[in-house]
Amino acid sequence: MIEINLEKYNYELPDERIARFPVEPRDSSKLLLYKDFQISEDIFYNVKNHLPDNTFLVFNNTKVIPARLFFQKANGVVIEVFLLNPVEPSNVVSQVMETTETCTWACMIGNKKRFKEKIVGTYNIEVGEYRIRPENVELTAELVDSEKNHVKFSWNNSDLTFAEIVRYFGQIPLPPYLKRETEQKDYDTYQTVYSKNDGAVAAPTAGLHFTEQVFADLAQKGIKHDFVTLHVGAGTFQPIKVQNVVEHKMHCEQIVFDKSFIINLLENVSFVIPVGTTSMRSLESLYWFGVKLLLGKQDFFIEKLLPYNQTESFTAEQSLKAVIDYMTENNLSQLVGETEIFIFPSYEFKICKGIITNFHQPDSTLILLVAALVGENWKKIYDYALENNFRFLSYGDSSLLIP
């Protein structure tokens, strides 16, 4: 069995280095550069100057939903329900967000012992567009499976989708390490400018630095880009609590690819840079789905340790072509899969040549992913960031890492 010692991927992160709020404008954050084993820095709006001309950027266009829902019982007790992933009428996030009248989700529940009967949602925040909602709209929650924390939601206006309902009743969930309540500005700043598909409970934060001007500068240089969708789950914040990190229970997330994206990726696969760890996990998972197809398996579920147990070798081009052929044969314009891929040192990247990413928590799966890409130099990179006043975590500064 593979053994990776957690102690090797720890570092001291002073509380004051955690960015509680983003910089303004968002593209004025600092940018750490790691290229050719050298470390330097710049401002993010100059990122175009540090990308090779043949770079193909891949973004995650998931959209953070106001996943924190509050319900107040007649006796005043408040129960918080945090949406994790849908169960009924489908497990496909995009489909469930468009349902009307009823749906069921797996949730985290605060004050669960007091959740014994149907409860009606309390509209309890006064921020932004969420202040305005149709009159007489009620959201009801029922705990239908206490063991699995499955909560059934129903509402009394079939003209409204569940996406609209959570906008009216919910609160944007900030990462717990920010240790503050959601503010009005967060509804904009904790969302990428290109967010599109509702379903995430955490932002793909590497993308928060991009602005329309940065995109225009990249286009002027001829750098191409495209989008995937991975709905970021709460598991992204789950700390590793085992000494051998390989034993960590990896969270599972849903990913969505358009066929046009995969064709575009195949045409530009020579130098792919994902924006964020979720984009990287999506791309590498797509490769392994192609390998499954080449081996006669058609289930798009990438198990945690699949890459480390696979002996057959295929090129990225072979894998992507297999996926495109599969979609053509099955008349699919879109591909929905699930991944719990665990990228840690010893992983061999199949598609990604680098990454644009923020600075991550100690002892986290994301530090392991960075270490898998840059090797032991991850510590030098983080030491440099700490010594040169870089801001850490979701609202912090950025890095471009090209080993």
Side-chain angles (χ1 to χ4, degrees), residues 23-92:
V23 296
E24 294 184 21
R26 58 173 73 204
D27 60 5
S28 62
S29 57
K30 294 177 72 172
L31 175 66
L32 182 147
L33 301 162
Y34 175 78
K35 298 170 69 177
D36 300 322
F37 304 103
Q38 300 298 312
I39 301 173
S40 59
E41 63 180 270
D42 200 344
I43 305 299
F44 190 83
Y45 52 66
N46 291 324
V47 67
K48 66 181 185 299
N49 299 332
H50 306 288
L51 293 168
D53 292 345
N54 64 333
T55 298
F56 183 68
L57 293 173
V58 176
F59 296 84
N60 181 6
N61 65 3
T62 188
K63 190 170 188 175
V64 183
I65 60 174
R68 296 180 69 191
L69 300 167
F70 296 89
F71 298 83
Q72 188 167 19
K73 299 173 65 172
N75 61 2
V77 171
V78 175
I79 295 170
E80 179 182 351
V81 180
F82 189 110
L83 303 174
L84 293 179
N85 52 273
V87 179
E88 296 288 345
S90 164
N91 68 344
V92 179

Side-chain angles (χ1 to χ4, degrees), residues 202-242:
T205 53
L208 295 179
H209 309 278
F210 284 82
T211 61
E212 296 301 337
Q213 183 59 53
V214 171
F215 276 110
D217 292 343
L218 291 168
Q220 186 175 27
K221 188 176 178 180
I223 292 176
K224 300 177 182 178
H225 70 271
D226 209 338
F227 302 91
V228 301
T229 303
L230 182 145
H231 294 303
V232 189
T236 192
F237 302 120
Q238 184 179 348
I240 300 175
K241 297 180 179 179
V242 290

Side-chain angles (χ1 to χ4, degrees), residues 9-278:
Y9 302 95
N10 190 15
Y11 71 95
E12 192 68 34
L13 176 59
D15 186 70
E16 63 269 18
R17 304 307 298 276
I18 299 174
R20 308 288 184 216
F21 296 89
V23 296
E24 294 184 21
R26 58 173 73 204
D27 60 5
S28 62
S29 57
K30 294 177 72 172
L31 175 66
L32 182 147
L33 301 162
Y34 175 78
K35 298 170 69 177
D36 300 322
F37 304 103
Q38 300 298 312
I39 301 173
S40 59
E41 63 180 270
D42 200 344
I43 305 299
F44 190 83
Y45 52 66
N46 291 324
V47 67
K48 66 181 185 299
N49 299 332
H50 306 288
L51 293 168
D53 292 345
N54 64 333
T55 298
F56 183 68
L57 293 173
V58 176
F59 296 84
N60 181 6
N61 65 3
T62 188
K63 190 170 188 175
V64 183
I65 60 174
R68 296 180 69 191
L69 300 167
F70 296 89
F71 298 83
Q72 188 167 19
K73 299 173 65 172
N75 61 2
V77 171
V78 175
I79 295 170
E80 179 182 351
V81 180
F82 189 110
L83 303 174
L84 293 179
N85 52 273
V87 179
E88 296 288 345
S90 164
N91 68 344
V92 179
V93 176
S94 59
Q95 294 176 9
V96 176
M97 296 306 293
E98 294 305 310
T99 58
T100 57
E101 297 186 355
T102 183
C103 60
T104 300
W105 286 66
C107 303
M108 289 191 294
I109 303 172
N111 220 358
K112 180 181 173 182
K113 290 181 180 179
R114 310 296 291 274
F115 193 174
K116 298 184 184 302
E117 66 279 327
K118 286 185 180 181
I119 45 178
V120 178
T122 301
Y123 179 68
N124 74 321
I125 56 173
E126 297 289 330
V127 288
E129 64 182 276
Y130 306 90
R131 184 182 295 118
I132 305 167
R133 68 181 172 98
E135 294 180 5
N136 303 318
V137 175
E138 286 188 350
L139 173 64
T140 301
E142 179 183 5
L143 184 59
V144 292
D145 189 327
S146 181
E147 191 173 313
K148 296 180 179 179
N149 281 355
H150 287 180
V151 178
K152 181 178 181 180
F153 300 98
S154 56
W155 52 102
N156 60 351
N157 187 332
S158 60
D159 291 333
L160 299 175
T161 65
F162 190 62
E164 292 170 311
I165 285 293
V166 295
R167 289 192 191 108
Y168 297 137
F169 286 92
Q171 182 176 324
I172 286 283
L174 291 181
Y177 48 67
L178 291 187
K179 299 177 183 176
R180 66 174 177 85
E181 289 299 312
T182 304
E183 298 184 7
Q184 180 171 340
K185 280 188 175 181
D186 293 309
Y187 286 83
D188 293 320
T189 57
Y190 196 60
Q191 204 80 266
T192 62
V193 298
Y194 50 83
S195 63
K196 180 180 179 182
N197 299 320
D198 285 309
V201 301
T205 53
L208 295 179
H209 309 278
F210 284 82
T211 61
E212 296 301 337
Q213 183 59 53
V214 171
F215 276 110
D217 292 343
L218 291 168
Q220 186 175 27
K221 188 176 178 180
I223 292 176
K224 300 177 182 178
H225 70 271
D226 209 338
F227 302 91
V228 301
T229 303
L230 182 145
H231 294 303
V232 189
T236 192
F237 302 120
Q238 184 179 348
I240 300 175
K241 297 180 179 179
V242 290
Q243 196 60 40
N244 180 10
V245 301
V246 181
E247 297 172 2
H248 174 71
K249 181 174 172 54
M250 196 64 182
H251 56 287
C252 185
E253 292 171 314
Q254 191 173 98
I255 39 180
V256 183
F257 300 95
D258 290 333
K259 184 179 180 181
S260 58
F261 165 81
I262 302 173
I263 293 171
N264 199 7
L265 177 63
L266 178 57
E267 292 173 350
N268 295 279
V269 77
S270 62
F271 203 84
V272 177
I273 298 287
V275 176
T277 58
T278 58

